[in-house]
């Protein structure tokens, strides 16, 4: 369930009976709940929660005018924006590609001439050349002009095995709520009379060429408290939405429900499953059969990852003592045996990571299971074969001490694309044959900045409870350990998301090349060392993530790599919450704070945007004991007069329907009310990424580095 939500709720014979409502999960806490209306009822800025209300938008535009005059008025701004845009729009960027069932390689491309982007294709032979020949499948700029729409392309789900019929996902301005339309890649047109789903937060999967499994808001208000769908229906070609047949139903108190299929390499559906998300991390999985949904006897914290060689592959985010498995294990079931008798089917251990390892990604070629493994935040790619003796594995001989990403895999053979990157190493693109282990470097990204002046080091800080917290430092070779280095510290620390070394041409050009030092902290709450590293900072233990961050900050100061005068921090979304906590708890450590698309009002967060879906991460403010924990670190209520807060830079997007812009708006308004200087920028488009195209991305990044230069370099 977690992987589906992190992908924004992405995806036998058709069942013929309507699913019964699943039994609600037992409440995690039996305390009397505080009425939601009482939470933050005295908040003077509650009016900012009207996402596109006239008053909030007028306030945001006034803030933009004031802040942009300062940041864009800086003599460095134009040059930084130009450099960022040149890198983002560079014609010699390496286009990432994906295998398609029709034998082509597909790519989505944006540049100065194609701001909204081109969905296009080429051949492998052409892709190997210096200048591949591309054929346009769909021009999003042209489509937007023709329909007078503000389309942002969010991807396509194509029907295997040939993948010529695709469900295109289009967003108005970058929102999570999307429209879905059927497209034919052979005629390069939308299918006349084809599937067309109006805007909404929805999850759609192909069941067969004439049937979709759709989770959406079927009736007004038929969504969970997290604003996601909980009713799944089968929609036949040519059928009105009102006539779709219900096949699964969760409850309004769930996070969401969705349905998806497992298919073999030839596109044949081998299992149809439904997932009922009880929390962001807990889900029940159901096998959808002719007689209705059958709940599978699996632990609540599990993720079905793949199907290959007759095996259903699953990762565990909790111990499963009845079966002898541990948190972080990767296991498999023979799917036929599991479907016949789920409780009796034997499970096989594929991989048990050590305490300093984590299974980062899983994918399949036609016959092989591919596993991306992190080992002390360094990547490896493993090839697994299944045979009579179980699972055996080999390792792809890719460059060491790098971040390795498993890319698109072919279902016609055992080839897949793999990326290799690092902080100072431009990304390289490899074509790997998982059968022979043969590797071919097919592309290499050009360098975007002079990396010869910097080195990468890994250190450890000791957190408040004695736990060692690793972090990376990218610094000038000749840096003087006198505390004068302008240093930007980045972290996330939540939702089991790992922060691994990656090349950023814009960061390198706008920061490193100008003498800056860049630091990434692998604090608890992330996934660098598996589910246990994440679980260590959940709910009541949330402060541990913040203590880890402060420990890294202090360690940088103690090593005299930098000092509070020259130390700035940046984080977005959950990392934006981290920035708010750092501002309110340890402002003396920092001279610059970039708060990107943040959570900030943690007392009301579960009522704003998709906030209710994150109760599994932070706790429920409506439960007094859990609210007491949240209140201790809640940035919004802990902003106080008389503190030496640095001038912060807060960013958000009006179109962000995941983390509501009210969080950022309230933060800025409250700081101003208390008499603190604040810079604020609200992009009217952009969704949760805070930018809908490369031009907006360049503007945002230039604003950030102007601010950081003013605070840490001047």
């Amino acid at each position: 369930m977690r992987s589906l939500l992190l992908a924004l709720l992405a995806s036998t014979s058709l069942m013929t009976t309507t699913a019964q409502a699943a039994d609600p999960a037992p409440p995690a806490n039996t305390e009397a709940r505080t009425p939601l209306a009482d939470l933050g009822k005295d908040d003077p800025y509650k009016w900012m929660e009207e996402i596109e209300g006239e008053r909030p938008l007028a306030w945001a535009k006034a803030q933009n005018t004031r802040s942009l005059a300062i940041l864009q008025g800086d003599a460095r701004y134009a040059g930084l924006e130009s450099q960022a845009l040149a890198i983002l729009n560079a014609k010699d960027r390496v286009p990432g590609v994906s295998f398609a069932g029709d034998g082509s390689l597909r790519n989505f491309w944006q540049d100065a001439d194609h701001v909204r982007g081109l969905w296009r294709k080429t051949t492998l032979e052409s892709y190997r050349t210096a200048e591949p020949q591309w054929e346009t499948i769909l021009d999003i700029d042209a489509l937007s002009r023709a329909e007078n729409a503000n389309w942002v392309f969010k991807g396509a789900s194509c029907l295997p095995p040939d993948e010529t019929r695709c469900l295109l996902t289009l967003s108005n301005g970058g929102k999570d709520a999307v429209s879905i339309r059927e497209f034919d890649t052979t005629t390069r047109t939308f299918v006349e009379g084809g599937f067309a789903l109006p805007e909404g937060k929805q999850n759609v999967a192909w069941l067969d060429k004439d049937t979709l499994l759709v989770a959406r808001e079927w009736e007004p208000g038929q969504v969970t408290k997290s604003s996601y769908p909980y009713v799944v229906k089968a929609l036949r070609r040519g059928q009105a939405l009102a006539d779709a047949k219900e096949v699964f139903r969760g409850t309004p108190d769930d996070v969401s429900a969705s349905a998806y299929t497992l298919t073999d390499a030839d596109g044949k559906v081998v299992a149809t499953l439904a997932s009922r998300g009880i929390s962001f991390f807990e889900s029940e999985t159901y096998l959808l059969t002719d007689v209705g949904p059958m709940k599978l006897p699996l632990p609540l914290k599990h993720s079905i990852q793949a199907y290959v060689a007759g095996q259903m592959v699953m990762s565990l985010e909790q111990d499963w003592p009845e079966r002898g498995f541990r948190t972080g294990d990767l296991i498999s079931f023979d799917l036929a045996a599991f479907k016949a008798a789920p409780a009796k089917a034997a499970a096989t251990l594929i991989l048990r990571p050590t305490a300093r390892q984590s299974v980062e990604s899983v994918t399949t070629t036609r016959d092989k299971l591919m596993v991306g493994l992190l080992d002390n935040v360094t990547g490896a790619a493993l090839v697994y074969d299944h045979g009579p003796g179980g699972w055996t594995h080999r390792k792809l001989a890719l460059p060491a001490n790098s971040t390795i990403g498993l890319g698109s895999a072919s279902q016609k053979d055992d080839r897949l694309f793999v990326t290799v990157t690092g902080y100072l190493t431009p990304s390289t693109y490899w074509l790997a044959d998982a059968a022979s282990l043969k590797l071919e470097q097919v592309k290499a990204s050009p360098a975007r900045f002079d990396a010869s002046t910097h080195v990468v080091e890994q250190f450890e800080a000791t957190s408040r409870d004695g736990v060692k917290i690793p972090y990376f430092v990218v610094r000038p070779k000749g840096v003087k350990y006198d505390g004068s280095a302008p240093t930007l510290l980045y972290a996330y620390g939540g939702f089991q998301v790992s922060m691994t070394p990656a090349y950023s041409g814009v960061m390198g050009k706008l920061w490193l090349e100008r003498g800056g030092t860049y630091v990434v902290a692998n604090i608890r709450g992330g996934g660098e060392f598996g589910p246990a590293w994440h679980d260590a900072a959940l709910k009541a233990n949330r402060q541990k993530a913040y203590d880890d961050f402060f420990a890294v900050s202090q360690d940088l100061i103690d090593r005299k790599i930098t000092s509070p005068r020259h130390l700035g921090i940046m984080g977005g979304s959950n990392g934006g919450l981290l920035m708010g906590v750092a501002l309110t708890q340890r402002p003396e450590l920092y001279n610059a704070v970039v708060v990107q698309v943040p959570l900030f009002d943690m007392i009301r967060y579960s009522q704003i945007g998709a906030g209710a879906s994150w109760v599994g991460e932070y706790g429920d403010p409506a439960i007094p004991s859990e609210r007491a924990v949240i209140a201790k670190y809640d940035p919004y209520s802990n902003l106080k007069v008389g503190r030496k807060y640095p001038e912060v830079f807060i960013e958000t997007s009006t179109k962000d329907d995941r983390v509501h812009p009210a969080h950022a708006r309230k933060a800025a308004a409250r700081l101003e009310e208390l008499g603190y200087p604040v810079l604020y920028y609200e992009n009217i488009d952009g969704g949760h990424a805070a930018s809908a195209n490369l031009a907006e991305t360049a503007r945002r990044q230039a604003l950030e580095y102007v601010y950081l230069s003013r605070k840490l370099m001047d």
Side-chain angles (χ1 to χ4, degrees), residues 58-307:
W59 177 90
K61 290 175 181 177
Q63 290 287 329
N64 284 352
T65 298
R66 179 185 61 81
S67 297
L68 292 179
I70 296 171
L71 296 174
Q72 292 182 329
D74 189 290
R76 289 164 290 201
Y77 174 80
L80 293 177
E81 183 189 35
S82 176
Q83 289 177 324
L85 193 58
I87 292 171
L88 294 171
N89 279 329
K91 299 289 187 180
D92 61 352
R93 282 178 292 140
V94 174
V97 292
S98 59
F99 287 101
D102 63 1
S104 67
L105 298 180
R106 294 176 182 171
N107 160 262
F108 182 68
W109 179 262
Q110 293 174 296
D111 60 27
D113 300 321
H114 307 96
V115 176
R116 298 178 187 273
L118 292 175
W119 191 32
R120 58 187 190 170
K121 68 176 183 177
T122 189
T123 63
L124 178 57
E125 292 70 27
S126 182
Y127 185 66
R128 284 189 169 108
T129 66
E131 296 187 9
Q133 299 301 303
W134 296 96
E135 296 179 42
T136 298
I137 302 173
L138 180 63
D139 184 330
I140 307 300
D141 293 87
L143 177 67
S144 296
R145 288 192 298 269
E147 298 185 349
N148 191 28
N150 186 20
W151 289 133
V152 174
F153 184 69
K154 291 272 191 170
S157 171
C158 301
L159 178 68
D162 58 2
E163 298 185 309
T164 58
R165 284 293 180 96
C166 302
L167 299 173
L168 263 60
T169 303
L170 298 168
S171 165
N172 174 16
K175 295 187 293 185
D176 286 352
V178 295
S179 301
I180 297 176
R181 294 154 67 179
E182 187 178 7
F183 188 86
D184 189 329
T185 63
T186 58
T187 63
R188 302 178 192 181
T189 59
F190 289 102
V191 177
E192 186 175 354
F195 291 112
L197 302 173
E199 184 181 77
K201 289 186 178 181
Q202 50 195 320
N203 169 263
V204 181
W206 290 98
L207 185 62
D208 57 48
K209 65 183 181 65
D210 294 315
T211 315
L212 302 181
L213 296 171
V214 181
R216 60 171 286 119
E217 183 179 4
W218 298 98
E219 301 171 3
Q222 195 180 60
V223 293
T224 66
K225 295 176 181 177
S226 302
S227 76
Y228 295 111
Y230 64 90
V231 175
V232 182
K233 296 187 179 184
L235 179 68
R236 301 282 297 174
R237 182 175 299 280
Q239 194 173 41
L241 289 179
D243 297 327
K245 184 177 180 61
E246 184 174 313
V247 296
F248 186 79
R249 176 182 288 257
T251 77
D253 289 329
D254 295 338
V255 171
S256 69
S258 59
Y260 58 101
T261 62
L262 297 180
T263 60
D264 65 16
D266 295 316
K268 179 184 176 182
V269 174
V270 294
T272 304
L273 302 168
S275 179
R276 176 189 169 220
I278 296 171
S279 74
F280 199 93
F281 307 102
E282 298 172 311
S283 62
E284 296 173 347
T285 298
Y286 292 76
L287 180 67
L288 300 184
T289 72
D290 290 339
V291 295
M294 178 174 66
K295 183 179 175 182
L296 299 176
L298 300 172
L300 289 178
K301 291 186 176 182
H302 72 277
S303 298
I304 295 176
Q305 298 282 2
Y307 172 79

Side-chain angles (χ1 to χ4, degrees), residues 373-439:
L373 185 72
L374 270 188
D375 190 343
N376 200 31
V377 206
T378 295
L382 307 179
V383 181
Y384 280 83
D385 290 275
H386 187 266
W391 292 95
T392 58
H393 78 273
R394 297 168 292 165
K395 184 178 180 180
L396 291 178
L398 290 160
N401 300 316
S402 302
T403 295
I404 294 174
L406 302 182
S408 176
S410 172
Q411 295 301 296
K412 294 184 178 298
D413 51 40
D414 289 316
R415 295 179 299 176
L416 77 157
F417 287 102
V418 181
T419 59
V420 179
T421 188
Y423 289 120
L424 300 178
T425 307
S427 298
T428 52
Y429 293 74
W430 300 71
L431 182 62
D433 188 317
S436 66
L437 302 189
K438 179 182 176 181
L439 292 166

Side-chain angles (χ1 to χ4, degrees), residues 463-465 469 493 523-525 534-551 574 577-578 580-586 590 617-618 628-635 638:
S463 194
R464 187 175 182 179
D465 60 0
I469 310 301
I523 64 178
R524 281 174 286 186
H534 167 242
D535 292 349
L538 278 181
K539 292 188 175 182
N541 292 319
R542 198 76 201 166
Q543 184 63 39
K544 291 183 178 180
Y546 309 136
D547 290 341
D548 293 353
F549 187 72
F550 303 147
N574 172 76
L577 169 61
L578 171 64
V581 175
L583 176 69
T584 52
Q585 290 191 5
R586 297 297 303 275
Y590 315 107
E617 180 83 7
Y618 305 115
V629 173
I630 294 170
K632 290 180 180 179
Y633 67 78
D634 168 46
N638 281 297

Side-chain angles (χ1 to χ4, degrees), residues 67-68 70-88 488 504-511 514 570 594 596 649 651 679 681 690-691 693-711 713:
S67 297
L68 292 179
I70 296 171
L71 296 174
Q72 292 182 329
D74 189 290
R76 289 164 290 201
Y77 174 80
L80 293 177
E81 183 189 35
S82 176
Q83 289 177 324
L85 193 58
I87 292 171
L88 294 171
L488 173 61
S504 169
V506 173
M507 185 277 292
K509 189 70 176 178
L510 274 58
W511 188 249
R514 296 172 58 236
M570 178 189 290
V594 181
Q596 304 165 312
F649 179 29
E651 303 170 293
L679 295 168
Y681 174 58
S691 51
N693 56 60
L694 298 179
E696 292 179 359
T697 299
R699 180 188 309 121
R700 175 178 58 79
Q701 292 175 327
L703 293 171
E704 291 168 349
Y705 286 107
V706 164
Y707 164 79
L708 291 166
S709 299
R710 292 166 65 92
K711 294 297 178 183
M713 289 181 168

